[in-house]
Amino acid sequence: MKLRYFMMVCLFLMSAQQKVLFAKSNNDKLIAELNEAIQHKELYIKKKLADIEQLKGTLQQGGLTLEQQFQLNDKLYSEYKTFQYDAAFTYALKLQEIAQKLKDPLKINYAKLQLSFTLLSSGMYKESIDSLNSIKVKGLPNHLRTEYYVLMSRSFYELAAYNGDPYYLDLYNKKGNMYSDSAIALMSNKDLQYYFVKGIKDLKERKFEEAKVNFKLVLEKFHPNYREFAMTASSLASAYIESEEKEIATDLMIQAAIADIKSSTKEGVALAYVADLLYHQKHDEKAYLFIKEALNDANFYGAKLRLKHVSGILPIIEGNRLSTVEGQKNRLFTFTLVVSFLSLLVIIFAFIIFKQLKQLKLAGKKVTEANHKLQEANDRLQETNEILQATNNELLEANKIKEEYIGYSFNMYSDYLDKIEKIKKNIEKKLAIKNFDSIGQVLDSINMKKEREALYLSFDKIFIKLFPNFVPAFNSFFKEEDKYPLQADQPLDLDLRIFALIRIGISDHEQIARILEYSVRTIYNHKTKVKSKSLLSNEAFESKIMEIRAF
């Protein structure tokens, strides 16, 4: 009788615990819809693939004009752009190839915009911005200019989120806002995109209430398609997350994930965010199922950034799930010990539980091994990301140096052309009046030494602008008595100027001698003299010079 009573109490407590856990979910209806959409996702993919095959069949028939080929490849690109990265990239390149054959500037720029979108979706931000910068915006029709500005704004917004550094976050967001303003200026307030772009800008400026108003207008007024709905609903969810309204945010993010599935969008991140939100609401099992589905989508789409984003969430959810399993194991073991004292029947029951515990331990071991593998993959991705970041920083510095020196060169060439033009006109005037004697005076007025000094001074100014810390860093390689004092606006001396040229990539002795109007031996002797006074070894000195950073 006591045993029966004890068993009833235990079953009651377990039942009550399940009810409490179930009561935590306020999104059951939407989650059921999401599960149903996942179950039917192969049907949506099958339909999409059928549309793709039909387009490919038409393209393979032959006898098509270049214009028809362009249109069909554009449709295939549209099918793949959020579905599969490699195919989208291939068709974007194909569009560029056909546009070049057509020699149609509008189509060439249109194809570049499509390639930029694909690069951006894969997380290749520098390549995306480079592609966009190659487009000549002037002369584009309004709809292409609008698309250009929207892609530019999105590139800088995503670059800001990816970089994370407070300084660059603010800098990139400001650039994104600037391009958003340019796009909005070209749009009509009767268009869906007008309110979506305004909402994104409000979100980046932390104007969350204004962002909500704009995103709600898109959803309520414009009847967006699945893709537009998913983008808007997930953006609106982000505004609610920032406002600490997690329940509403979860509902919206689930709806966005459903729309992504129905439109066969593999590039979307809504499902991963759903898993993250549910995880923080203690719905571990649901979060685990959805993050695995998101990982499948990221693998299918094939872009490293999407895979990295999902892989960053998965170990957290899986680790917490393992912890839950371990907790359940401990509770079951305690329960078995108590019941084992009551009767032989309970001992048999404990034996069954023990077998289940072994299975749980085996499952836990497999989960741990999988987690380790995922962590190793994540570490490799992190290493790759650090290498890419370092490379990106070097490219940014090199590009800035090139931009500054190109501008400097153009200014100098312009000044010299102006001077030559003035001399030419003066000589022509003297020739016209046959005043040959005064031509020599005009030529004598040209002071080549003064011109060279002005040239060197201009070089010094632009170099110090690019490398404001060069002289202090250079001096740190010497004893106090051997340092090179340099006052504000004072030109560089010969030693500093030689190593300034080396820092910007001019290391050949003959080239340096030609630029500075000295012999190769003089340049070599000055370099040797400077290195001999340095605290560094000769081998390390120039390496340290190249490590001095710009800006």
Side-chain angles (χ1 to χ4, degrees):
M1 189 69 179
K2 289 181 179 179
L3 174 62
R4 183 180 176 186
Y5 176 75
F6 180 78
M7 293 288 287
M8 288 176 66
V9 169
C10 289
L11 289 171
F12 172 78
L13 290 172
M14 290 174 70
S15 174
Q17 185 180 26
Q18 289 178 343
K19 288 179 180 178
V20 170
L21 288 172
F22 181 78
K24 287 181 181 178
S25 176
N26 297 320
N27 316 101
D28 290 334
K29 185 178 178 181
L30 283 172
I31 289 174
E33 290 180 23
L34 178 55
N35 279 321
E36 185 179 357
I38 290 171
Q39 289 171 10
H40 292 93
K41 71 186 297 185
E42 293 304 321
L43 293 176
Y44 303 126
I45 293 172
K46 187 176 180 181
K47 181 182 180 305
K48 188 173 191 71
L49 290 174
D51 293 340
I52 289 171
E53 287 305 314
Q54 185 178 358
L55 288 168
K56 286 182 177 178
T58 306
L59 190 61
Q60 291 168 1
Q61 286 176 3
L64 300 172
T65 65
L66 286 174
E67 183 69 35
Q68 290 170 327
Q69 290 178 39
F70 186 90
Q71 296 302 326
L72 283 169
N73 277 281
D74 186 34
K75 288 178 181 178
L76 279 165
Y77 168 78
S78 296
E79 292 290 342
Y80 277 119
K81 68 189 292 187
T82 58
F83 184 59
Q84 210 165 32
Y85 166 72
D86 287 339
F89 184 79
T90 299
Y91 281 104
L93 293 178
K94 188 67 178 174
L95 283 175
Q96 284 194 338
E97 180 186 333
I98 298 170
Q100 291 289 349
K101 289 179 181 178
L102 286 166
K103 297 180 180 178
D104 185 336
L106 286 182
K107 283 185 171 59
I108 290 170
N109 286 324
Y110 173 82
K112 286 181 178 179
L113 286 170
Q114 306 318 304
L115 178 63
S116 301
F117 175 90
T118 300
L119 293 171
L120 176 58
S121 296
S122 70
M124 299 172 71
Y125 301 124
K126 179 189 178 299
E127 291 78 2
S128 175
I129 293 171
D130 286 346
S131 176
L132 289 167
N133 282 332
S134 71
I135 296 172
K136 295 180 180 178
V137 183
K138 188 176 181 181
L140 285 180
N142 277 358
H143 70 284
L144 290 184
R145 286 175 65 199
T146 302
E147 187 174 351
Y148 168 84
Y149 289 132
V150 169
L151 283 174
M152 267 297 197
S153 66
R154 185 183 157 193
S155 296
F156 282 106
Y157 286 150
E158 293 202 16
L159 187 57
Y162 178 81
N163 186 284
D165 182 88
Y167 174 79
Y168 289 103
L169 183 75
D170 185 58
L171 178 67
Y172 292 148
N173 276 333
K174 283 180 180 177
K175 288 188 176 181
N177 291 339
M178 179 186 70
Y179 284 111
S180 290
D181 287 336
S182 297
I184 291 166
L186 294 172
M187 295 179 193
S188 166
N189 60 5
K190 295 180 180 179
D191 293 337
L192 177 152
Q193 197 178 29
Y194 174 83
Y195 295 99
F196 180 80
V197 173
K198 282 190 70 177
I200 293 295
K201 183 172 181 284
D202 289 334
L203 202 57
K204 297 301 177 182
E205 293 180 336
R206 305 190 66 78
K207 298 175 182 176
F208 303 123
E209 295 308 314
E210 291 90 332
K212 290 176 190 176
V213 171
N214 284 307
F215 291 137
K216 285 178 182 177
L217 273 170
V218 173
L219 297 177
E220 295 167 3
K221 183 179 177 182
F222 290 96
H223 308 291
N225 59 33
Y226 283 132
R227 181 64 188 136
E228 291 166 345
F229 180 90
M231 292 171 64
T232 307
S234 60
S235 299
L236 180 56
S238 298
Y240 276 108
I241 289 171
E242 295 291 346
S243 303
E244 297 298 325
E245 295 173 273
K246 299 293 176 64
E247 288 293 331
I248 300 174
T250 304
D251 288 348
L252 286 163
M253 201 64 81
I254 292 171
Q255 292 177 66
I258 292 169
D260 275 341
I261 292 168
K262 289 184 177 180
S263 62
S264 295
T265 297
K266 300 292 186 179
E267 177 253 357
V269 293
L271 191 58
Y273 282 121
V274 169
D276 190 45
L277 286 165
L278 291 176
Y279 163 73
H280 286 98
Q281 294 171 28
K282 309 302 181 186
H283 301 303
D284 296 340
E285 288 299 324
K286 293 169 186 173
Y288 180 71
L289 291 173
F290 293 146
I291 197 64
K292 284 204 304 182
E293 199 65 38
L295 183 61
N296 291 337
D297 286 347
N299 278 318
F300 186 93
Y301 181 69
K304 291 181 181 179
L305 181 70
R306 299 294 178 230
L307 186 60
K308 180 183 176 183
H309 172 76
V310 177
S311 298
I313 300 173
L314 178 60
I316 299 170
I317 295 175
E318 200 160 24
N320 190 68
R321 183 171 176 268
L322 179 61
S323 177
T324 303
V325 170
E326 287 295 326
Q328 291 173 347
K329 181 181 72 175
N330 292 333
R331 286 196 295 273
L332 284 171
F333 184 74
T334 304
F335 177 77
T336 303
L337 285 177
V338 173
V339 174
S340 66
F341 285 105
L342 300 176
S343 69
L344 182 60
L345 180 63
V346 178
I347 294 173
I348 296 170
F349 180 72
F351 177 74
I352 296 169
I353 294 295
F354 179 73
K355 289 181 68 177
Q356 292 177 343
L357 287 172
K358 287 185 69 177
Q359 293 174 353
L360 284 170
K361 188 174 181 180
L362 181 62
K365 185 178 179 181
K366 289 180 179 178
V367 170
T368 302
E369 290 173 355
N371 189 39
H372 286 321
K373 289 178 181 178
L374 282 169
Q375 187 60 47
E376 289 172 2
N378 193 40
D379 290 342
R380 287 195 294 272
L381 282 171
Q382 184 64 33
E383 290 173 6
T384 304
N385 179 50
E386 289 172 0
I387 292 169
L388 287 172
Q389 185 63 39
T391 305
N392 188 42
N393 288 339
E394 290 176 4
L395 286 171
L396 285 173
E397 181 183 275
N399 285 340
K400 181 64 177 175
I401 292 170
K402 287 177 183 176
E403 288 173 8
E404 290 288 345
Y405 274 106
I406 287 169
Y408 158 73
S409 298
F410 273 117
N411 285 335
M412 289 299 296
Y413 292 153
S414 178
D415 288 344
Y416 281 119
L417 286 172
D418 286 345
K419 289 178 181 179
I420 291 169
E421 180 67 20
K422 287 178 182 177
I423 293 168
K424 178 176 175 290
K425 287 181 179 178
N426 201 352
I427 291 174
E428 285 175 349
K429 197 179 293 183
K430 302 291 184 184
L431 288 171
I433 62 174
K434 298 183 179 181
N435 188 0
F436 302 117
D437 295 336
S438 60
I439 291 175
Q441 294 175 359
V442 172
L443 294 174
D444 291 338
S445 67
I446 303 170
N447 189 334
M448 293 305 297
K449 182 179 179 181
K450 186 176 180 182
E451 294 295 331
R452 284 196 188 93
E453 289 174 354
L455 177 65
Y456 295 149
L457 186 59
S458 295
F459 168 80
D460 294 346
K461 286 181 179 178
I462 192 70
F463 180 81
I464 293 300
K465 178 182 175 185
L466 283 169
F467 294 89
N469 196 42
F470 180 82
V471 174
F474 187 86
N475 278 328
S476 69
F477 305 150
F478 300 91
K479 295 178 182 177
E480 191 65 36
E481 62 270 18
D482 293 327
K483 290 183 179 180
Y484 291 79
L486 188 70
Q487 302 300 322
D489 298 327
Q490 182 182 339
L492 302 177
D493 67 6
L494 179 59
D495 290 347
L496 288 171
R497 202 170 281 154
I498 289 170
F499 286 96
L501 288 169
I502 290 171
R503 177 57 188 89
I504 64 171
I506 303 172
S507 57
D508 183 68
H509 287 175
E510 290 187 8
Q511 192 174 2
I512 294 173
R514 217 167 32 247
I515 292 170
L516 298 179
E517 294 288 324
Y518 283 96
S519 68
V520 174
R521 184 169 186 82
T522 300
I523 298 300
Y524 179 80
N525 288 340
H526 274 266
K527 279 185 64 179
T528 304
K529 179 192 71 174
V530 171
K531 287 182 179 181
S532 66
K533 292 192 295 183
S534 170
L535 299 171
L536 305 173
S537 66
N538 286 349
E539 293 77 13
F541 188 82
E542 288 193 26
S543 296
K544 285 293 184 181
I545 291 293
M546 297 307 291
E547 289 176 8
I548 299 174
R549 299 262 63 87
F551 326 126

